[in-house]
Amino acid sequence: MHKNRIGAYLFSFPSFFLTMALGIYPVLWALRYMFYDYQGYGTPKFIGLGNFARVFRDTEFWQSVANTFVYAGGKLIITLPLSLILAVILNRKLRGRHAFRAIFFLPTIFSASVMSIVFYIVFNSYNGIINQYLLKLKLVSGPIDWLGAAYAMLTIVVIAVWGAVGNYMLLFIAGLQSIPEDVYEAASLDGVNPAQRLWYITIPMLGPVLQMIIMLAITTSLKGYESIMVLTEGGPFGKTEVMYLYLYKLFFPLTTTGTSVQNIGYGSAIGFTTAVIVGLVTWLYFWLSKKLNNVY
């Protein structure tokens, strides 16, 4: 018994050590500097709540919060229904359905940075593939600046949907396969059409899976920034700046001007604020889903 306990501790130690070293310690390290003016060099200067007072005055940060909700909302509104529709189609006994599942899931295993570079080439305003086809088909009179101020957020949302839809599709398929076939057979005998079957049977019976998928989609969307960093770096003029990209720039500057000047103290305060915002959104979703469970 004693040897088994020692063995369990030894097996769990690597996971515990990595969690503490790469998860808990960096958070505690950052939390310590929330109350300091510290640019990464020299002696930190204690300023109390000065960083948080600056957060509330920082219009650029709050614009990034608004951009985050636009980005996350656009991604969720398109991704979740599309994933569910694809899951319903590919859950049927169709020829080649496994190949199609693999094709739709493939984008989720690629590096976000690598695929963003590919999409940068695709959406390039001068020689990008999209503009070439549009011009060849004479659908536009001139090249469209897909990463300009007018279309940058839309382009980024489309790329985010492309990268996420396969992942949620597989989760929906797993949920669909847990629904007994007897339910659908009884519905068919009652003359239920496919649309009614989806709305009145499939979606309600997917309730627990759907709640988990929505929660995962919300938190992932609010924290996403990798593709934006590669494609636009938050530009043009802050149109695609999101919370976690703004935070990233304070710790790891991309340029030497503006908010990209390293400021670990202020970045720690921004990090705490963004965590509170994501936590509040998650709590609100849990509260609403619990209310809906009580209703139904």
Side-chain angles (χ1 to χ4, degrees):
M1 183 68 180
H2 182 66
K3 291 182 178 180
N4 291 338
R5 183 177 297 177
I6 293 176
Y9 287 147
L10 290 175
F11 276 112
S12 61
F13 176 76
S15 177
F16 173 78
F17 174 78
L18 290 175
T19 301
M20 292 297 296
L22 303 178
I24 306 299
Y25 174 74
V27 172
L28 296 177
W29 182 87
L31 289 176
R32 179 183 61 174
Y33 286 109
M34 289 192 305
F35 308 104
Y36 289 85
D37 180 12
Y38 183 50
Q39 279 74 42
Y41 56 88
T43 304
K45 179 182 177 183
F46 181 78
I47 57 174
L49 297 176
N51 284 325
F52 289 98
R54 179 181 171 184
V55 169
F56 286 105
R57 298 191 305 266
D58 191 345
T59 56
E60 189 173 350
F61 168 69
W62 292 109
Q63 181 60 48
S64 74
V65 175
N67 291 339
T68 301
F69 282 99
V70 171
Y71 167 78
K75 180 181 176 181
L76 293 174
I77 290 171
I78 301 173
T79 302
L80 294 179
L82 183 58
S83 299
L84 178 58
I85 292 170
L86 288 173
V88 171
I89 295 172
L90 296 179
N91 192 48
R92 298 176 180 177
K93 295 180 180 179
L94 302 174
R95 180 178 296 180
R97 66 184 185 278
H98 297 297
F100 281 108
R101 290 178 188 177
I103 290 170
F104 283 113
F105 182 74
L106 201 59
T108 64
I109 67 175
F110 290 130
S111 166
S113 300
V114 172
M115 293 315 303
S116 297
I117 294 173
V118 172
F119 275 111
Y120 182 84
I121 297 172
V122 170
F123 285 101
N124 191 285
S125 59
Y126 298 103
N127 57 357
I129 298 172
I130 299 295
N131 277 332
Q132 287 182 15
Y133 276 107
L134 291 176
L135 291 170
K136 188 177 295 185
L137 295 172
K138 297 182 179 180
L139 296 176
V140 295
S141 58
I144 298 174
D145 187 3
W146 293 106
L147 298 176
Y151 297 103
M153 183 60 77
L154 176 62
T155 302
I156 287 170
V157 168
V158 169
I159 294 171
V161 170
W162 177 87
V165 70
N167 186 34
Y168 299 126
M169 178 199 69
L170 284 187
L171 294 176
F172 276 124
I173 289 175
L176 290 170
Q177 292 177 349
S178 67
I179 300 176
E181 285 294 328
D182 298 344
V183 178
Y184 292 125
E185 292 174 3
S188 298
L189 294 175
D190 290 336
V192 175
N193 62 47
Q196 291 173 327
R197 176 171 132 164
L198 175 64
W199 185 256
Y200 293 107
I201 298 174
T202 302
I203 293 178
M205 296 196 73
L206 278 176
V209 175
L210 187 59
Q211 288 182 355
M212 182 271 293
I213 292 174
I214 293 176
M215 183 199 68
L216 181 63
I218 289 173
T219 54
T220 303
S221 299
L222 290 176
K223 295 189 294 184
Y225 71 94
E226 294 90 346
S227 61
I228 301 174
M229 180 172 64
V230 175
L231 287 166
T232 65
E233 293 187 8
F237 311 112
K239 295 289 185 180
T240 60
E241 188 91 81
V242 291
M243 290 189 297
Y244 278 83
L245 179 57
Y246 187 86
L247 170 63
Y248 182 91
K249 288 180 178 180
L250 289 169
F251 280 94
F252 308 102
L254 301 178
T255 63
T256 57
T257 60
T259 57
S260 294
V261 175
Q262 187 179 46
N263 193 328
I264 292 176
Y266 184 56
S268 299
I270 290 288
F272 180 82
T273 306
T274 54
V276 169
I277 292 172
V278 174
L280 286 174
V281 173
T282 306
W283 172 84
L284 179 62
Y285 168 72
F286 276 123
W287 181 80
L288 289 174
S289 62
K290 185 177 179 180
K291 290 292 183 182
L292 291 175
N293 286 337
N294 293 335
V295 171
Y296 295 103

